[in-house]
mmCIF file of all heavy atoms in Angstrom:
data_model
loop_
_atom_site.group_PDB
_atom_site.id
_atom_site.type_symbol
_atom_site.label_atom_id
_atom_site.label_comp_id
_atom_site.label_asym_id
_atom_site.label_seq_id
_atom_site.Cartn_x
_atom_site.Cartn_y
_atom_site.Cartn_z
ATOM 1 N N PHE A 217 93.479 100.311 73.440
ATOM 2 C CA PHE A 217 94.430 100.303 74.542
ATOM 3 C C PHE A 217 93.964 99.515 75.758
ATOM 4 O O PHE A 217 94.734 99.369 76.716
ATOM 5 C CB PHE A 217 94.809 101.743 74.945
ATOM 6 C CG PHE A 217 93.657 102.646 75.238
ATOM 7 C CD1 PHE A 217 93.005 102.618 76.454
ATOM 8 C CD2 PHE A 217 93.225 103.563 74.279
ATOM 9 C CE1 PHE A 217 91.946 103.458 76.736
ATOM 10 C CE2 PHE A 217 92.165 104.422 74.541
ATOM 11 C CZ PHE A 217 91.527 104.361 75.769
ATOM 12 N N VAL A 218 92.734 98.979 75.738
ATOM 13 C CA VAL A 218 92.258 98.162 76.857
ATOM 14 C C VAL A 218 91.828 96.763 76.429
ATOM 15 O O VAL A 218 91.479 95.947 77.296
ATOM 16 C CB VAL A 218 91.100 98.838 77.610
ATOM 17 C CG1 VAL A 218 91.529 100.206 78.132
ATOM 18 C CG2 VAL A 218 89.862 98.946 76.725
ATOM 19 N N LYS A 219 91.870 96.460 75.145
ATOM 20 C CA LYS A 219 91.446 95.146 74.669
ATOM 21 C C LYS A 219 92.282 94.045 75.319
ATOM 22 O O LYS A 219 93.500 94.125 75.379
ATOM 23 C CB LYS A 219 91.555 95.064 73.151
ATOM 24 C CG LYS A 219 90.479 95.835 72.411
ATOM 25 C CD LYS A 219 90.625 95.682 70.902
ATOM 26 C CE LYS A 219 89.518 96.416 70.164
ATOM 27 N NZ LYS A 219 89.677 96.320 68.693
ATOM 28 N N GLY A 220 91.598 93.023 75.810
ATOM 29 C CA GLY A 220 92.267 91.922 76.468
ATOM 30 C C GLY A 220 92.521 92.139 77.939
ATOM 31 O O GLY A 220 92.929 91.195 78.633
ATOM 32 N N ARG A 221 92.296 93.352 78.434
ATOM 33 C CA ARG A 221 92.532 93.661 79.844
ATOM 34 C C ARG A 221 91.262 94.059 80.583
ATOM 35 O O ARG A 221 91.110 93.729 81.766
ATOM 36 C CB ARG A 221 93.561 94.786 79.994
ATOM 37 C CG ARG A 221 94.923 94.472 79.384
ATOM 38 C CD ARG A 221 95.947 95.531 79.757
ATOM 39 N NE ARG A 221 95.592 96.843 79.220
ATOM 40 C CZ ARG A 221 95.482 97.948 79.960
ATOM 41 N NH1 ARG A 221 95.715 97.901 81.271
ATOM 42 N NH2 ARG A 221 95.173 99.105 79.392
ATOM 43 N N PHE A 222 90.363 94.788 79.916
ATOM 44 C CA PHE A 222 89.141 95.294 80.542
ATOM 45 C C PHE A 222 87.930 94.558 79.989
ATOM 46 O O PHE A 222 87.908 94.153 78.818
ATOM 47 C CB PHE A 222 88.955 96.790 80.266
ATOM 48 C CG PHE A 222 89.956 97.697 80.922
ATOM 49 C CD1 PHE A 222 91.068 97.205 81.590
ATOM 50 C CD2 PHE A 222 89.782 99.071 80.866
ATOM 51 C CE1 PHE A 222 91.991 98.043 82.185
ATOM 52 C CE2 PHE A 222 90.695 99.927 81.458
ATOM 53 C CZ PHE A 222 91.791 99.416 82.119
ATOM 54 N N THR A 223 86.893 94.410 80.817
ATOM 55 C CA THR A 223 85.643 93.787 80.409
ATOM 56 C C THR A 223 84.473 94.611 80.926
ATOM 57 O O THR A 223 84.405 94.897 82.123
ATOM 58 C CB THR A 223 85.523 92.348 80.927
ATOM 59 O OG1 THR A 223 86.634 91.572 80.471
ATOM 60 C CG2 THR A 223 84.234 91.711 80.422
ATOM 61 N N ILE A 224 83.549 94.984 80.035
ATOM 62 C CA ILE A 224 82.350 95.701 80.433
ATOM 63 C C ILE A 224 81.184 94.719 80.478
ATOM 64 O O ILE A 224 81.084 93.819 79.645
ATOM 65 C CB ILE A 224 82.053 96.884 79.480
ATOM 66 C CG1 ILE A 224 80.936 97.766 80.040
ATOM 67 C CG2 ILE A 224 81.727 96.400 78.075
ATOM 68 C CD1 ILE A 224 80.762 99.086 79.283
ATOM 69 N N SER A 225 80.299 94.879 81.450
ATOM 70 C CA SER A 225 79.173 93.976 81.615
ATOM 71 C C SER A 225 78.022 94.706 82.295
ATOM 72 O O SER A 225 78.192 95.810 82.811
ATOM 73 C CB SER A 225 79.561 92.736 82.429
ATOM 74 O OG SER A 225 79.974 93.096 83.731
ATOM 75 N N ARG A 226 76.843 94.087 82.295
ATOM 76 C CA ARG A 226 75.663 94.631 82.955
ATOM 77 C C ARG A 226 75.092 93.592 83.903
ATOM 78 O O ARG A 226 75.289 92.385 83.720
ATOM 79 C CB ARG A 226 74.609 95.051 81.926
ATOM 80 C CG ARG A 226 74.070 93.880 81.113
ATOM 81 C CD ARG A 226 73.139 94.332 80.015
ATOM 82 N NE ARG A 226 72.630 93.190 79.260
ATOM 83 C CZ ARG A 226 71.877 93.282 78.184
ATOM 84 N NH1 ARG A 226 71.538 94.474 77.718
ATOM 85 N NH2 ARG A 226 71.465 92.188 77.568
ATOM 86 N N ASP A 227 74.368 94.047 84.928
ATOM 87 C CA ASP A 227 73.735 93.110 85.835
ATOM 88 C C ASP A 227 72.389 92.676 85.285
ATOM 89 O O ASP A 227 71.902 93.207 84.284
ATOM 90 C CB ASP A 227 73.623 93.697 87.243
ATOM 91 C CG ASP A 227 72.682 94.886 87.325
ATOM 92 O OD1 ASP A 227 71.958 95.171 86.348
ATOM 93 O OD2 ASP A 227 72.666 95.534 88.390
ATOM 94 N N ASN A 228 71.771 91.691 85.948
ATOM 95 C CA ASN A 228 70.517 91.132 85.447
ATOM 96 C C ASN A 228 69.368 92.126 85.495
ATOM 97 O O ASN A 228 68.424 92.022 84.700
ATOM 98 C CB ASN A 228 70.149 89.872 86.241
ATOM 99 C CG ASN A 228 71.093 88.719 85.975
ATOM 100 O OD1 ASN A 228 71.690 88.621 84.904
ATOM 101 N ND2 ASN A 228 71.227 87.828 86.942
ATOM 102 N N ALA A 229 69.409 93.068 86.417
ATOM 103 C CA ALA A 229 68.377 94.090 86.509
ATOM 104 C C ALA A 229 68.537 95.168 85.445
ATOM 105 O O ALA A 229 67.637 95.981 85.252
ATOM 106 C CB ALA A 229 68.374 94.718 87.893
ATOM 107 N N GLN A 230 69.685 95.191 84.774
ATOM 108 C CA GLN A 230 69.993 96.138 83.707
ATOM 109 C C GLN A 230 69.965 97.584 84.168
ATOM 110 O O GLN A 230 69.699 98.491 83.384
ATOM 111 C CB GLN A 230 69.066 95.931 82.503
ATOM 112 C CG GLN A 230 69.156 94.547 81.890
ATOM 113 C CD GLN A 230 68.379 94.417 80.592
ATOM 114 O OE1 GLN A 230 68.180 95.395 79.865
ATOM 115 N NE2 GLN A 230 67.957 93.204 80.281
ATOM 116 N N ASN A 231 70.254 97.802 85.430
ATOM 117 C CA ASN A 231 70.368 99.159 85.934
ATOM 118 C C ASN A 231 71.779 99.473 86.430
ATOM 119 O O ASN A 231 72.020 100.571 86.934
ATOM 120 C CB ASN A 231 69.355 99.417 87.044
ATOM 121 C CG ASN A 231 69.571 98.507 88.254
ATOM 122 O OD1 ASN A 231 70.401 97.613 88.250
ATOM 123 N ND2 ASN A 231 68.798 98.747 89.305
ATOM 124 N N THR A 232 72.692 98.520 86.283
ATOM 125 C CA THR A 232 74.074 98.695 86.690
ATOM 126 C C THR A 232 75.008 98.154 85.621
ATOM 127 O O THR A 232 74.789 97.066 85.097
ATOM 128 C CB THR A 232 74.367 97.985 88.024
ATOM 129 O OG1 THR A 232 73.535 98.531 89.053
ATOM 130 C CG2 THR A 232 75.820 98.153 88.423
ATOM 131 N N VAL A 233 76.042 98.914 85.299
ATOM 132 C CA VAL A 233 77.070 98.497 84.356
ATOM 133 C C VAL A 233 78.405 98.483 85.082
ATOM 134 O O VAL A 233 78.710 99.400 85.852
ATOM 135 C CB VAL A 233 77.120 99.415 83.126
ATOM 136 C CG1 VAL A 233 78.356 99.123 82.277
ATOM 137 C CG2 VAL A 233 75.870 99.224 82.285
ATOM 138 N N ASN A 234 79.203 97.443 84.829
ATOM 139 C CA ASN A 234 80.481 97.254 85.507
ATOM 140 C C ASN A 234 81.626 97.287 84.515
ATOM 141 O O ASN A 234 81.463 96.991 83.329
ATOM 142 C CB ASN A 234 80.492 95.921 86.253
ATOM 143 C CG ASN A 234 79.341 95.785 87.217
ATOM 144 O OD1 ASN A 234 79.162 96.612 88.111
ATOM 145 N ND2 ASN A 234 78.534 94.741 87.041
ATOM 146 N N LEU A 235 82.802 97.647 85.002
ATOM 147 C CA LEU A 235 84.028 97.598 84.225
ATOM 148 C C LEU A 235 85.083 96.888 85.049
ATOM 149 O O LEU A 235 85.583 97.446 86.034
ATOM 150 C CB LEU A 235 84.504 99.000 83.833
ATOM 151 C CG LEU A 235 85.723 99.045 82.914
ATOM 152 C CD1 LEU A 235 85.354 98.527 81.521
ATOM 153 C CD2 LEU A 235 86.286 100.459 82.820
ATOM 154 N N GLN A 236 85.400 95.658 84.667
ATOM 155 C CA GLN A 236 86.466 94.900 85.312
ATOM 156 C C GLN A 236 87.779 95.258 84.637
ATOM 157 O O GLN A 236 87.930 95.063 83.429
ATOM 158 C CB GLN A 236 86.199 93.400 85.212
ATOM 159 C CG GLN A 236 87.273 92.525 85.831
ATOM 160 C CD GLN A 236 87.367 92.686 87.329
ATOM 161 O OE1 GLN A 236 86.351 92.702 88.018
ATOM 162 N NE2 GLN A 236 88.584 92.815 87.840
ATOM 163 N N MET A 237 88.739 95.772 85.402
ATOM 164 C CA MET A 237 90.016 96.228 84.879
ATOM 165 C C MET A 237 91.122 95.362 85.453
ATOM 166 O O MET A 237 91.349 95.354 86.667
ATOM 167 C CB MET A 237 90.258 97.700 85.218
ATOM 168 C CG MET A 237 89.144 98.630 84.747
ATOM 169 S SD MET A 237 89.524 100.379 85.017
ATOM 170 C CE MET A 237 89.552 100.411 86.812
ATOM 171 N N ASN A 238 91.804 94.622 84.589
ATOM 172 C CA ASN A 238 92.906 93.758 84.976
ATOM 173 C C ASN A 238 94.205 94.239 84.339
ATOM 174 O O ASN A 238 94.199 95.004 83.381
ATOM 175 C CB ASN A 238 92.630 92.312 84.561
ATOM 176 C CG ASN A 238 91.401 91.727 85.212
ATOM 177 O OD1 ASN A 238 91.075 92.045 86.355
ATOM 178 N ND2 ASN A 238 90.708 90.846 84.489
ATOM 179 N N SER A 239 95.325 93.752 84.861
ATOM 180 C CA SER A 239 96.654 94.097 84.346
ATOM 181 C C SER A 239 96.829 95.597 84.208
ATOM 182 O O SER A 239 97.306 96.095 83.180
ATOM 183 C CB SER A 239 96.898 93.394 83.002
ATOM 184 O OG SER A 239 96.794 91.993 83.133
ATOM 185 N N LEU A 240 96.463 96.325 85.240
ATOM 186 C CA LEU A 240 96.513 97.780 85.195
ATOM 187 C C LEU A 240 97.955 98.283 85.130
ATOM 188 O O LEU A 240 98.861 97.702 85.729
ATOM 189 C CB LEU A 240 95.808 98.366 86.408
ATOM 190 C CG LEU A 240 94.275 98.301 86.350
ATOM 191 C CD1 LEU A 240 93.673 98.531 87.725
ATOM 192 C CD2 LEU A 240 93.749 99.333 85.347
ATOM 193 N N ALA A 241 98.143 99.377 84.396
ATOM 194 C CA ALA A 241 99.440 100.012 84.217
ATOM 195 C C ALA A 241 99.331 101.488 84.600
ATOM 196 O O ALA A 241 98.235 102.049 84.617
ATOM 197 C CB ALA A 241 99.907 99.866 82.771
ATOM 198 N N PRO A 242 100.458 102.138 84.904
ATOM 199 C CA PRO A 242 100.406 103.557 85.282
ATOM 200 C C PRO A 242 99.703 104.441 84.262
ATOM 201 O O PRO A 242 99.064 105.425 84.653
ATOM 202 C CB PRO A 242 101.877 103.937 85.437
ATOM 203 C CG PRO A 242 102.541 102.667 85.845
ATOM 204 C CD PRO A 242 101.827 101.592 85.083
ATOM 205 N N GLU A 243 99.796 104.121 82.971
ATOM 206 C CA GLU A 243 99.133 104.925 81.956
ATOM 207 C C GLU A 243 97.613 104.815 81.994
ATOM 208 O O GLU A 243 96.914 105.557 81.294
ATOM 209 C CB GLU A 243 99.648 104.578 80.551
ATOM 210 C CG GLU A 243 99.650 103.090 80.252
ATOM 211 C CD GLU A 243 100.999 102.437 80.507
ATOM 212 O OE1 GLU A 243 101.655 102.791 81.509
ATOM 213 O OE2 GLU A 243 101.404 101.578 79.691
ATOM 214 N N ASP A 244 97.072 103.901 82.790
ATOM 215 C CA ASP A 244 95.632 103.802 82.982
ATOM 216 C C ASP A 244 95.119 104.809 84.015
ATOM 217 O O ASP A 244 93.903 104.926 84.203
ATOM 218 C CB ASP A 244 95.235 102.396 83.418
ATOM 219 C CG ASP A 244 95.494 101.351 82.350
ATOM 220 O OD1 ASP A 244 95.162 101.607 81.172
ATOM 221 O OD2 ASP A 244 96.021 100.281 82.691
ATOM 222 N N THR A 245 96.011 105.509 84.686
ATOM 223 C CA THR A 245 95.620 106.489 85.694
ATOM 224 C C THR A 245 94.794 107.599 85.059
ATOM 225 O O THR A 245 95.225 108.241 84.097
ATOM 226 C CB THR A 245 96.858 107.078 86.379
ATOM 227 O OG1 THR A 245 97.541 106.049 87.104
ATOM 228 C CG2 THR A 245 96.470 108.185 87.347
ATOM 229 N N ALA A 246 93.590 107.827 85.582
ATOM 230 C CA ALA A 246 92.676 108.821 85.027
ATOM 231 C C ALA A 246 91.424 108.885 85.895
ATOM 232 O O ALA A 246 91.227 108.051 86.785
ATOM 233 C CB ALA A 246 92.287 108.466 83.586
ATOM 234 N N VAL A 247 90.584 109.878 85.620
ATOM 235 C CA VAL A 247 89.234 109.896 86.156
ATOM 236 C C VAL A 247 88.353 109.136 85.177
ATOM 237 O O VAL A 247 88.350 109.432 83.975
ATOM 238 C CB VAL A 247 88.706 111.324 86.363
ATOM 239 C CG1 VAL A 247 87.261 111.294 86.846
ATOM 240 C CG2 VAL A 247 89.584 112.072 87.359
ATOM 241 N N TYR A 248 87.619 108.161 85.664
ATOM 242 C CA TYR A 248 86.750 107.339 84.836
ATOM 243 C C TYR A 248 85.305 107.783 85.021
ATOM 244 O O TYR A 248 84.811 107.889 86.140
ATOM 245 C CB TYR A 248 86.910 105.860 85.200
ATOM 246 C CG TYR A 248 88.185 105.254 84.670
ATOM 247 C CD1 TYR A 248 89.417 105.611 85.206
ATOM 248 C CD2 TYR A 248 88.167 104.335 83.621
ATOM 249 C CE1 TYR A 248 90.597 105.079 84.707
ATOM 250 C CE2 TYR A 248 89.339 103.794 83.126
ATOM 251 C CZ TYR A 248 90.549 104.167 83.673
ATOM 252 O OH TYR A 248 91.718 103.624 83.175
ATOM 253 N N TYR A 249 84.624 108.046 83.894
ATOM 254 C CA TYR A 249 83.263 108.562 83.891
ATOM 255 C C TYR A 249 82.299 107.551 83.278
ATOM 256 O O TYR A 249 82.591 106.963 82.236
ATOM 257 C CB TYR A 249 83.166 109.854 83.084
ATOM 258 C CG TYR A 249 83.962 111.012 83.643
ATOM 259 C CD1 TYR A 249 85.272 111.232 83.247
ATOM 260 C CD2 TYR A 249 83.388 111.889 84.560
ATOM 261 C CE1 TYR A 249 86.000 112.294 83.749
ATOM 262 C CE2 TYR A 249 84.111 112.951 85.061
ATOM 263 C CZ TYR A 249 85.413 113.151 84.653
ATOM 264 O OH TYR A 249 86.134 114.212 85.148
ATOM 265 N N CYS A 250 81.153 107.387 83.900
ATOM 266 C CA CYS A 250 80.069 106.599 83.328
ATOM 267 C C CYS A 250 79.215 107.489 82.430
ATOM 268 O O CYS A 250 78.932 108.638 82.778
ATOM 269 C CB CYS A 250 79.216 105.985 84.442
ATOM 270 S SG CYS A 250 77.857 104.951 83.859
ATOM 271 N N HIS A 251 78.811 106.954 81.285
ATOM 272 C CA HIS A 251 77.953 107.662 80.341
ATOM 273 C C HIS A 251 76.804 106.751 79.934
ATOM 274 O O HIS A 251 76.976 105.540 79.807
ATOM 275 C CB HIS A 251 78.748 108.083 79.099
ATOM 276 C CG HIS A 251 77.890 108.602 77.989
ATOM 277 N ND1 HIS A 251 77.513 107.820 76.910
ATOM 278 C CD2 HIS A 251 77.321 109.823 77.787
ATOM 279 C CE1 HIS A 251 76.758 108.537 76.099
ATOM 280 N NE2 HIS A 251 76.630 109.751 76.613
ATOM 281 N N ALA A 252 75.620 107.354 79.714
ATOM 282 C CA ALA A 252 74.460 106.571 79.316
ATOM 283 C C ALA A 252 73.579 107.358 78.376
ATOM 284 O O ALA A 252 73.497 108.587 78.451
ATOM 285 C CB ALA A 252 73.653 106.134 80.536
ATOM 286 N N LYS A 253 72.919 106.633 77.480
ATOM 287 C CA LYS A 253 71.870 107.177 76.633
ATOM 288 C C LYS A 253 70.573 106.440 76.957
ATOM 289 O O LYS A 253 70.509 105.221 76.827
ATOM 290 C CB LYS A 253 72.209 107.013 75.152
ATOM 291 C CG LYS A 253 73.375 107.864 74.680
ATOM 292 C CD LYS A 253 73.583 107.710 73.181
ATOM 293 C CE LYS A 253 74.701 108.606 72.688
ATOM 294 N NZ LYS A 253 74.913 108.456 71.218
ATOM 295 N N PHE A 254 69.568 107.195 77.389
ATOM 296 C CA PHE A 254 68.262 106.638 77.721
ATOM 297 C C PHE A 254 67.191 107.275 76.856
ATOM 298 O O PHE A 254 67.241 108.477 76.586
ATOM 299 C CB PHE A 254 67.906 106.894 79.187
ATOM 300 C CG PHE A 254 68.493 105.926 80.158
ATOM 301 C CD1 PHE A 254 69.770 106.112 80.665
ATOM 302 C CD2 PHE A 254 67.773 104.823 80.584
ATOM 303 C CE1 PHE A 254 70.313 105.223 81.564
ATOM 304 C CE2 PHE A 254 68.301 103.928 81.490
ATOM 305 C CZ PHE A 254 69.573 104.127 81.977
ATOM 306 N N PRO A 255 66.170 106.515 76.433
ATOM 307 C CA PRO A 255 65.047 107.108 75.720
ATOM 308 C C PRO A 255 64.140 107.872 76.679
ATOM 309 O O PRO A 255 63.987 107.496 77.850
ATOM 310 C CB PRO A 255 64.324 105.898 75.118
ATOM 311 C CG PRO A 255 64.658 104.774 76.045
ATOM 312 C CD PRO A 255 66.060 105.045 76.534
ATOM 313 N N GLY A 256 63.523 108.939 76.179
ATOM 314 C CA GLY A 256 62.540 109.681 76.941
ATOM 315 C C GLY A 256 61.142 109.219 76.595
ATOM 316 O O GLY A 256 60.901 108.032 76.360
ATOM 317 N N SER A 257 60.203 110.164 76.569
ATOM 318 C CA SER A 257 58.826 109.818 76.237
ATOM 319 C C SER A 257 58.703 109.277 74.818
ATOM 320 O O SER A 257 57.872 108.410 74.553
ATOM 321 C CB SER A 257 57.925 111.035 76.417
ATOM 322 O OG SER A 257 57.935 111.487 77.757
ATOM 323 N N SER A 258 59.506 109.802 73.906
ATOM 324 C CA SER A 258 59.560 109.299 72.544
ATOM 325 C C SER A 258 60.698 108.301 72.434
ATOM 326 O O SER A 258 61.856 108.654 72.670
ATOM 327 C CB SER A 258 59.763 110.440 71.550
ATOM 328 O OG SER A 258 58.708 111.378 71.629
ATOM 329 N N PRO A 259 60.397 107.046 72.064
ATOM 330 C CA PRO A 259 61.446 106.013 72.056
ATOM 331 C C PRO A 259 62.605 106.307 71.120
ATOM 332 O O PRO A 259 63.714 105.808 71.350
ATOM 333 C CB PRO A 259 60.682 104.755 71.608
ATOM 334 C CG PRO A 259 59.257 105.022 71.952
ATOM 335 C CD PRO A 259 59.071 106.500 71.750
#
């Protein structure tokens, strides 16, 4: 439902992720949450 409209990317420091949202429609209304998986002491 977002193909061709949204683009996900990361910055060069790799500590920030962005979501560019174009051609927005009312059905896109929502709370948007960031999620991440990081390794701990064991890779």
Side-chain angles (χ1 to χ4, degrees):
F217 53 80
V218 302
K219 286 181 178 178
R221 300 189 297 126
F222 292 8
T223 303
I224 190 170
S225 62
R226 64 186 180 185
D227 66 10
N228 291 332
Q230 300 188 27
N231 62 354
T232 299
V233 170
N234 305 303
L235 185 69
Q236 179 66 45
M237 305 186 294
N238 299 326
S239 301
L240 285 164
E243 50 264 40
D244 294 315
T245 295
V247 177
Y248 284 71
Y249 296 91
C250 181
H251 170 261
K253 292 184 177 180
F254 278 86
S257 299
S258 300

